[in-house]
Amino acid sequence: ISQQFKFFPILNAFGPPGTGKSQLGWSMMYLFGEAQHPYNLHNGTKVGLAEHLAEFSNAFAWIDEYKNAVDYDKIEMLKSAYDLIGRKKGGIEKGKKTKTSMVNAGIILTGQEMPTADVALLKRVILLQFYKNEFTEQEQKEYDKLKEMEKAGLSHFLFEFLQYREQFEKEYFKVYDTVSSDLGKDLENIDVEDRIFRNMVIIVAAFKFFEDKIQLNMTYDEL
């Protein structure tokens, strides 16, 4: 997907404390084996952010504690990461060339605030609002069951998807065209910016590809 489009949407989970944003982050990180700790955007350095974004390929890079008051240079780095462009490192010594670190991971961005400090960043994220902080006894039991599973890792779920990797690479863009057409018809009289539209289509198309292959919790039409 990133090679074709030269960008990949950022998943932004935001909302008050105690609503489950971080727990979603941990669960998604466990899909790739031992869960890697998130990068604290508020306290970390720009070099640390660049290294975090470049650490893994085809997995997740989780960035936590987003606030609109964060250093603007870090917001610029997030915008560049959406376009798969990392941090430039220049050589001071004669003959050394400038190098740019790679960004090959899907980014999860979590925090209490919707990223409105820069509208260009806002258009690069898929917003996932968290607001519920009271849960039923059954929901708490299901949550505890998931946390117990995570102790052994959740990579067995990932392998369900990976078995279709070659087929996905061959068929994804045909599915993308179908989803783009479907959503385009639904939004025919609604003004939606192209970047936001494509962010959604990229994810929905992946869902549609797997709909008849893996048991999922909703249908394409519902999504």
Side-chain angles (χ1 to χ4, degrees):
I1 292 172
S2 61
Q3 289 175 358
Q4 175 74 16
F5 294 113
K6 309 303 180 190
F7 73 89
F8 195 81
I10 297 170
L11 178 64
N12 174 227
F14 71 97
T19 50
K21 305 180 302 293
S22 294
Q23 297 310 318
L24 174 78
W26 283 116
S27 294
M28 293 178 74
M29 298 303 288
Y30 273 114
L31 288 169
F32 296 91
E34 185 176 345
Q36 303 298 308
H37 285 269
Y39 168 88
N40 188 309
L41 188 64
H42 193 65
N43 296 328
T45 66
K46 287 180 283 187
V47 173
L49 175 58
E51 291 176 349
H52 185 76
L53 291 169
E55 193 168 5
F56 291 98
S57 179
N58 289 327
F60 290 127
W62 179 15
I63 300 167
D64 196 18
E65 298 297 340
Y66 174 87
K67 295 185 174 99
N68 283 315
V70 72
D71 182 352
Y72 193 74
D73 285 348
K74 291 178 182 175
I75 292 178
E76 287 294 316
M77 288 179 70
L78 289 174
K79 287 159 55 178
S80 295
Y82 167 92
D83 295 314
L84 311 174
I85 300 170
R87 179 174 175 267
K88 285 189 176 181
K89 297 176 284 185
I92 298 175
E93 297 174 24
K94 187 177 179 181
K96 280 197 174 182
K97 295 181 179 178
T98 300
K99 293 182 179 179
T100 304
S101 59
M102 301 297 290
V103 178
N104 290 317
I107 300 171
I108 305 170
L109 181 65
T110 54
Q112 294 183 36
E113 301 177 3
M114 182 191 293
T116 55
D118 187 331
V119 69
L121 176 60
L122 186 62
K123 291 176 181 178
R124 285 167 164 79
V125 305
I126 291 179
L127 295 168
L128 189 59
Q129 185 175 12
F130 282 67
Y131 54 87
K132 184 176 177 179
N133 57 11
E134 294 183 0
F135 304 94
T136 66
E137 184 179 351
Q138 182 59 36
E139 287 171 333
Q140 290 173 351
K141 285 181 179 178
E142 293 292 340
Y143 171 78
D144 291 339
K145 183 179 177 182
L146 174 62
K147 292 295 126 181
E148 192 63 32
M149 289 173 63
E150 288 176 354
K151 291 179 181 178
L154 299 178
S155 53
H156 57 292
F157 288 128
L158 182 66
F159 281 103
E160 288 190 52
F161 291 89
L162 283 177
Q163 64 181 313
Y164 297 104
R165 179 166 181 162
E166 286 188 18
Q167 186 180 350
F168 185 91
E169 290 177 350
K170 291 176 183 175
E171 300 177 10
Y172 172 79
F173 295 107
K174 189 182 294 182
V175 178
Y176 177 93
D177 289 341
T178 299
V179 172
S180 181
S181 177
D182 289 346
L183 287 182
K185 290 173 184 174
D186 289 341
L187 299 170
E188 194 169 3
N189 298 315
I190 301 172
D191 185 22
V192 180
E193 187 168 321
D194 181 62
R195 185 193 297 277
I196 297 172
F197 180 79
R198 287 189 294 157
N199 286 342
M200 295 297 182
V201 174
I202 279 177
I203 303 303
V204 176
F207 181 97
K208 181 171 175 59
F209 171 86
F210 285 109
E211 183 184 26
D212 61 351
K213 300 172 180 64
I214 293 175
Q215 185 176 353
L216 301 167
N217 66 344
M218 67 178 76
T219 66
Y220 166 64
D221 289 335
E222 288 171 337
L223 183 61

